[in-house]
Amino acid sequence: MTRFGRYALQTLLFSSSALTSRSFTPRSAHLLRTALIAGTNKVLSSPSPRTCSNSPTMCKNSQQATDEAAPTATSTAAVSSNPLLQKWSSEPFFLPPFEKIEPSHFKEAFEHGMVEHLADLQEIVNNSEEPTFQNTIVAYDHAGSVLDKVSSVFSTMSGSLSTDEHKKVQTEMVPILSRHRSSTITLDGLFERIDSVYQKLNTLTDLTPEQIRLVERFHMDYTRQGANFSSEEKEEYANLKAKLASLSTEFAQNVMKDEEIFEIVLAKEDLDGCSDSLMEAARQAAVERNKAEDEYVITLSRSLVEPFLTYANRRDLRERAWKEWSRRGELSEDRANLPIALEMLKLRKRQAEMHGCKSFAEYQLKDMMAKKPENVMDLLENVWERAKVSANKEREALEDYCKDFGDDLGEDGVQPWDWRYYAEKVRLAKYDFDESLLRPYLSLEKITGAVMGVSNKLFGLRYVKRDDINSYHPDVDIYEVYETGDDGSDKLVAIFIADNFTRKYKCSGAWMSECRGQTKNLAPGSDAMEGIPIISNNNNFARGSGPTLLSFDDAKTLFHEMGHGHHGMLSNASYGRLAGTNVLTDFVELPSQLMEHWLEQPEVLKEYARHHETDEPIPDDMLAKLKAAKSFNQGFETIEYTSCALLDMALHQVEEYGDDFDISKFEKEELERLGMPKGIIMRHRPAHFQHLFASTHYAAGYYVYLWAEVLDADVFAAFKETGDVFDPETAKKVRKFIYSSGNTDAPDELFRKFRGRDPEIQFMLEKKGLV
């Protein structure tokens, strides 16, 4: 039921963007729901060993680092037989040949891609002409097209079909790819050419604002990766980044293994109180795990465990499910994640020191809209204090309900495994709103029609399903996306991939990824089609035996992901580095969270929310109850999220992690200091907090969802002020400045160009009922 942190950059399952060839912002960025129970991969049966765990100093010597970063050329025969290295021109829309790709193809393809990438960069260095925007910056932007292509496919498979064989490739390649990335930073003469163009920006009057932005971003990318370091520092930094990449992969795999293994096997009567759709999903999970015909299974997938915590009448089973769910990353000594997290914190502190910063939070925020930790804390603490008041009132209402109905919870009162259950009881009593009765009107088919209908009304996009094109799994649907061109003809905008169902080898949560990003700066010899984006949206809806019926939160997730999808599909940048979701992290959630608003509009629900059996529209009284209950339990949800963001900032502002630093103790003491309301815990405890430790991208950055919520509430207010939530002129502006501009301008400037002023917080506070 959360409204926060729905997604994070999955960062290709590696620390930062180890697989990214063109830039240091994830080109194939995965955007993951915070609802994500795990991060990215399911796991290797035995995690990769950790070395030097007590020190941020790396153990590999210089020769080892050089050897790992020096892939050998791939033979012509291998290129011709490896589907990843072929042209793909025989595939519709130059789609990846998913059905032909095996995990064994990736290592060879990566090696070939790295060799080609370095050759492209060396060609820039060897150019005897004076460095210019064209011969250096433009060439750098499209360098490494093969590595970029292979990385995008690998990233897609790592999230959606990560078999044991795939995981082995991942574990092997992570440090190698990280060192390759470091080798591009240290390539003699390359940064010097980029810096030469950067230093002349004031005199290059023929450059467009977008081109100036490109030069500035590349220069910042390099300096933030240590381009100005000494040779000894560069070696240390490369070792540090490679170690972080391996640790983050191990962290994610451990969580996924806990998810993969754990199950609660139940009898039908154990599911007393649960909806038919949840029972069907639990039975389907049992079938997939080869259980007996009369058995049901609850896994640690959020799509199963959260509804179980909300509706199951047996308190002992709710407690068991909740305790195991909250201990992901700690369920086995063989997969203990807290030592990994501590080692990563120490490494990040050293990374910050090398950049002259006191803490990793200071370093990370230098390239965010927020700029410095104090600005983040001002926002979080403002919301935290308001949310505590709301949450404590909500807990009192739950306990009053229990007293009125004779439910004895003992002297400790409402516990975390009780909150969702009794909140649903109070919601029903207070608003006469039973959310389970809403599900028949929210079939996946109908809500897919709704989100595509909204897409058409706002942006004129039309979706044509292609049942004849196969993907990596039978569950996956592929669409052509068109708009009407200036000449009245159909214009292909993107290819859209919808992967909606939970299954084995697929990571939890929901995310958007780019199988191919938008660009107008194609490598020589490329087809124009290769600049058309291929955008994939992934969900984990539980499949039953009949139509897939969604909760309202599931439906919001579908809309949210389409917001990310629009960010990729509508991108209109000239250069790949600035396209789509390659934006500052605290701006990237604006397009996604903005899209959620349209699901709540009565005209959308009346048109598309129809009973899956009778096709009757959702009743008016149900809509009225839905609206009345909108802000219900917002204190709980806000506390769940904001406590995570506050702990994230606290952990990454520590200036010295001593040998006896204990993350669990730090968590306990920090939450006590904050006055954590009784009966609620952090939505993501450190051992499974994958936004922080399955990558580095969201470390000291989990606040971004709340930051973006200030923006999205303000942007949607602009629509409401016109009296028409589909106002054409406002939709044109939101497309231009929010969805299409990518990183071609600073995000605060893009907001001002749309709104005519800086963002204001009151719209978000009103939306959450915290005023």
Side-chain angles (χ1 to χ4, degrees):
M1 297 296 293
T2 181
R3 298 290 180 269
F4 290 108
R6 291 191 167 223
Y7 318 81
L9 284 170
Q10 190 167 336
T11 56
L12 309 183
L13 318 178
F14 308 109
S15 176
S16 292
S17 51
L19 282 182
T20 305
S21 61
R22 297 189 183 181
S23 72
F24 306 113
T25 298
R27 176 119 171 89
S28 308
H30 278 231
L31 296 134
L32 233 91
R33 190 178 190 220
T34 301
L36 123 173
I37 293 176
T40 39
N41 319 317
K42 297 193 168 37
V43 248
L44 285 169
S45 50
S46 80
S48 57
R50 299 192 304 280
T51 57
C52 308
S53 59
N54 295 322
S55 170
T57 304
M58 297 296 98
C59 297
K60 292 185 181 296
N61 60 36
S62 177
Q63 185 59 49
Q64 285 176 304
T66 301
D67 292 345
E68 286 186 8
T72 57
T74 308
S75 69
T76 303
V79 172
S80 63
S81 62
N82 189 323
L84 287 164
L85 297 176
Q86 294 168 1
K87 185 64 177 173
W88 302 354
S89 56
S90 61
E91 301 293 325
F93 310 108
F94 284 72
L95 279 160
F98 288 114
E99 292 186 309
K100 301 176 184 177
I101 296 170
E102 299 292 339
S104 59
H105 292 136
F106 280 106
K107 181 180 179 181
E108 177 184 71
F110 274 130
E111 290 173 346
H112 181 87
M114 287 186 283
V115 168
E116 185 220 56
H117 186 210
L118 286 175
D120 287 348
L121 299 180
Q122 192 64 54
E123 185 176 347
I124 297 172
V125 172
N126 292 344
N127 192 323
S128 60
E129 297 178 0
E130 179 183 356
T132 66
F133 178 80
Q134 193 67 34
N135 69 22
T136 300
I137 303 301
V138 172
Y140 182 77
D141 183 63
H142 64 55
S145 58
V146 171
L147 182 57
D148 192 52
K149 182 170 72 170
V150 174
S151 300
S152 296
V153 177
F154 188 78
S155 175
T156 297
M157 304 304 286
S158 295
S160 300
L161 198 64
S162 185
T163 62
D164 291 341
E165 293 79 11
H166 187 98
K167 295 165 197 164
K168 291 176 183 177
V169 176
Q170 176 195 355
T171 300
E172 178 181 3
M173 293 305 299
V174 162
I176 296 173
L177 288 160
S178 177
R179 291 185 183 281
H180 167 76
R181 179 187 173 200
S182 295
S183 74
T184 68
I185 303 294
T186 58
L187 184 64
D188 286 344
L190 181 57
F191 176 65
E192 288 76 7
R193 289 185 68 89
I194 293 172
D195 186 58
S196 176
V197 179
Y198 176 77
Q199 297 300 334
K200 295 183 293 188
L201 273 181
N202 289 337
T203 66
L204 300 177
T205 57
D206 58 332
L207 296 186
T208 67
E210 180 182 3
Q211 291 170 335
I212 292 171
R213 178 77 173 170
L214 182 65
V215 176
E216 291 173 341
R217 293 310 299 175
F218 277 146
H219 192 268
M220 178 174 285
D221 289 340
Y222 263 75
T223 56
R224 283 181 64 80
Q225 293 301 317
N228 289 320
F229 290 168
S230 68
S231 57
E232 293 80 10
E233 289 172 328
K234 286 177 180 177
E235 180 180 332
E236 179 185 353
Y237 204 73
N239 292 338
L240 182 154
K241 295 291 284 185
K243 186 63 178 176
L244 278 171
S246 293
L247 289 170
S248 61
T249 299
E250 184 179 359
F251 186 99
Q253 291 184 344
N254 285 346
V255 177
M256 291 301 293
K257 193 65 176 180
D258 282 353
E259 267 196 348
E260 188 177 301
I261 291 174
F262 182 81
E263 61 187 26
I264 302 178
V265 181
L266 303 171
K268 186 174 183 178
E269 55 268 26
D270 296 330
L271 291 164
D272 180 49
C274 297
S275 66
D276 290 344
S277 60
L278 176 56
M279 294 181 69
E280 286 183 10
R283 177 63 199 136
Q284 183 64 31
V287 170
E288 292 170 357
R289 294 177 178 233
N290 299 313
K291 303 301 180 185
E293 290 185 4
D294 60 347
E295 291 180 325
Y296 298 75
V297 166
I298 296 296
T299 70
L300 295 183
S301 165
R302 187 173 297 274
S303 63
L304 286 174
V305 74
E306 204 165 64
F308 184 76
L309 292 172
T310 303
Y311 295 106
N313 285 330
R314 280 189 53 178
R315 193 185 190 208
D316 60 326
L317 293 178
R318 295 200 311 271
E319 180 179 2
R320 181 186 172 195
W322 179 87
K323 285 185 173 180
E324 300 304 314
W325 189 37
S326 65
R327 290 181 59 247
R328 286 165 289 136
E330 300 177 277
L331 294 179
S332 168
E333 291 183 2
D334 295 335
R335 300 185 299 277
N337 267 350
L338 290 180
I340 299 174
L342 179 56
E343 187 173 0
M344 293 181 72
L345 288 170
K346 291 179 178 181
L347 290 169
R348 288 171 180 168
K349 176 60 171 59
R350 175 57 185 152
Q351 180 184 4
E353 287 174 350
M354 294 181 74
H355 286 280
C357 297
K358 292 187 297 183
S359 68
F360 184 78
E362 180 185 343
Y363 164 74
Q364 190 83 317
L365 286 161
K366 283 181 180 292
D367 195 29
M368 299 275 211
M369 292 180 73
K371 300 301 181 188
K372 54 187 180 180
E374 293 83 356
N375 293 336
V376 174
M377 296 305 296
D378 285 347
L379 173 63
L380 292 178
E381 290 172 353
N382 184 342
V383 172
W384 176 256
E385 294 303 323
R386 296 169 186 266
K388 279 200 301 183
V389 174
S390 294
N392 287 326
K393 289 180 179 178
E394 289 166 6
R395 187 186 67 252
E396 291 171 3
L398 304 187
E399 292 176 344
D400 288 344
Y401 175 92
C402 293
K403 291 176 184 176
D404 291 344
F405 285 84
D407 286 5
D408 183 6
L409 300 181
E411 61 183 26
D412 292 331
V414 172
Q415 295 298 302
W417 52 88
D418 296 320
W419 196 294
R420 289 175 176 81
Y421 178 76
Y422 283 106
E424 190 60 27
K425 301 289 187 187
V426 171
R427 184 206 306 268
L428 182 59
K430 186 174 182 179
Y431 299 102
D432 190 25
F433 178 59
D434 182 351
E435 191 171 355
S436 67
L437 299 180
L438 188 61
R439 282 180 177 266
Y441 297 91
L442 302 179
S443 69
L444 177 59
E445 178 185 1
K446 298 295 186 185
I447 300 305
T448 298
V451 77
M452 290 181 177
V454 169
S455 177
N456 178 261
K457 288 182 179 180
L458 286 173
F459 307 122
L461 301 184
R462 302 188 307 279
Y463 297 78
V464 179
K465 190 176 178 183
R466 290 292 301 270
D467 292 325
D468 58 315
I469 300 178
N470 295 322
S471 187
Y472 51 84
H473 193 277
D475 284 350
V476 176
D477 293 325
I478 295 179
Y479 297 83
E480 301 168 17
V481 184
Y482 291 98
E483 65 179 347
T484 303
D486 294 336
D487 62 356
S489 63
D490 285 344
K491 175 186 174 183
L492 182 67
V493 174
I495 301 300
F496 178 67
I497 298 174
D499 184 353
N500 284 316
F501 297 108
T502 187
R503 60 174 176 270
K504 189 177 182 181
Y505 302 129
K506 183 179 181 183
C507 85
S508 331
W511 65 96
M512 167 270 203
S513 61
E514 295 177 349
C515 294
R516 182 172 69 214
Q518 179 269 330
T519 184
K520 300 174 185 176
N521 182 30
L522 293 167
S526 299
D527 188 279
M529 181 62 70
E530 294 177 88
I532 299 293
I534 302 173
I535 302 302
S536 173
N537 276 7
N538 295 262
N539 294 289
N540 269 279
F541 303 136
R543 185 198 288 274
S545 57
T548 299
L549 305 182
L550 307 180
S551 67
F552 195 72
D553 191 55
D554 289 336
K556 268 186 173 279
T557 298
L558 199 72
F559 268 69
H560 183 113
E561 290 305 336
M562 187 58 89
H564 284 310
H566 283 128
H567 204 181
M569 291 189 292
L570 294 176
S571 177
N572 188 30
S574 298
Y575 306 99
R577 172 62 182 87
L578 304 179
T581 57
N582 285 326
V583 298
L584 302 194
T585 310
D586 38 13
F587 187 81
V588 78
E589 294 300 325
L590 167 57
S592 54
Q593 293 177 183
L594 176 60
M595 194 70 183
E596 295 179 23
H597 290 268
W598 277 278
L599 175 63
E600 299 175 349
Q601 303 312 303
E603 62 193 274
V604 173
L605 288 170
K606 288 296 289 184
E607 181 174 359
Y608 293 102
R610 292 178 171 271
H611 198 282
H612 70 97
E613 291 178 339
T614 66
D615 202 41
E616 290 294 317
I618 186 171
D620 290 337
D621 64 333
M622 188 177 290
L623 272 181
K625 292 173 184 178
L626 174 65
K627 182 178 179 180
K630 179 181 175 182
S631 62
F632 177 76
N633 215 33
Q634 277 290 309
F636 168 81
E637 295 179 5
T638 304
I639 289 294
E640 265 202 324
Y641 161 76
T642 312
S643 58
C644 295
L646 286 164
L647 187 75
D648 169 31
M649 291 303 297
L651 277 171
H652 286 102
Q653 288 186 85
V654 172
E655 295 184 11
E656 187 61 45
Y657 302 95
D659 292 338
D660 60 347
F661 188 85
D662 185 324
I663 293 179
S664 294
K665 180 182 178 183
F666 185 90
E667 173 193 6
K668 181 175 183 293
E669 291 177 349
E670 183 64 15
L671 294 180
E672 288 176 353
R673 184 189 70 81
L674 290 168
M676 184 74 164
K678 179 184 173 184
I680 309 177
I681 70 160
M682 294 169 56
R683 190 165 184 80
H684 304 291
R685 298 190 60 233
H688 56 259
F689 203 163
Q690 302 205 61
H691 293 80
L692 306 195
F693 300 115
S695 79
T696 296
H697 193 89
Y698 270 67
Y702 193 63
Y703 76 90
V704 302
Y705 305 104
L706 187 60
W707 188 277
E709 194 163 3
V710 173
L711 304 180
D712 77 68
D714 201 335
V715 170
F716 192 70
F719 280 92
K720 293 194 292 185
E721 287 162 10
T722 70
D724 179 5
V725 295
F726 290 102
D727 177 62
E729 291 305 313
T730 310
K732 286 180 184 177
K733 287 178 63 180
V734 86
R735 174 172 179 165
K736 180 178 180 180
F737 296 119
I738 307 300
Y739 287 101
S740 297
S741 290
N743 203 354
T744 60
D745 201 352
D748 52 346
E749 285 301 316
L750 289 173
F751 186 91
R752 290 187 196 104
K753 287 177 179 178
F754 173 78
R755 202 68 165 110
R757 55 165 173 74
D758 288 334
E760 297 177 356
I761 194 174
Q762 76 267 17
F763 299 105
M764 180 273 288
L765 295 176
E766 290 168 1
K767 170 187 168 186
K768 304 180 78 59
L770 297 177
V771 177

